[in-house]
Amino acid sequence: WEYRALRLLGSPPRIRMLRALGKQPMSSREIAKALDMHLGTVARDISSMQEERLLNIELDGTHRRYSVNTGPTEPPPDE
């Protein structure tokens, strides 16, 4: 799982997303707007990073807001 997580960090757009999320939690729409990215690309990358536990999810009413997981990570349950 570490290899998959590190591989995700090899993408400049994902690094930009992580830097933005390190400053403040954002929804996928906010990320797309702030970084001038397509919402579909943001959603796909969020899903991948969340699967490898690089992101935290906060529920804000009916919206999800994402932030960088700065704590220790454990392998996903299927590992």
Side-chain angles (χ1 to χ4, degrees):
W1 72 274
E2 292 103 342
Y3 172 75
R4 289 191 309 264
L6 288 173
R7 191 165 168 239
L8 289 172
L9 299 177
S11 164
R14 289 188 198 116
I15 294 295
R16 288 177 52 221
M17 289 174 59
L18 289 171
R19 284 186 178 143
L21 292 172
K23 295 176 184 173
Q24 66 181 15
M26 290 194 261
S27 70
S28 54
R29 288 189 187 276
E30 290 170 328
I31 296 166
K33 184 176 178 181
L35 301 179
D36 194 29
M37 296 174 68
H38 292 282
L39 184 56
T41 301
V42 170
R44 181 195 66 218
D45 287 346
I46 284 174
S47 178
S48 297
M49 290 189 287
Q50 180 186 350
E51 190 174 299
E52 298 307 324
R53 299 184 180 199
L54 299 176
L55 299 178
N56 295 317
I57 302 173
E58 302 169 18
L59 294 178
D60 183 13
T62 59
H63 297 93
R64 292 179 182 208
R65 297 176 66 75
Y66 303 94
S67 61
V68 175
N69 181 2
T70 58
T73 58
E74 297 290 326
D78 63 336
E79 295 291 313

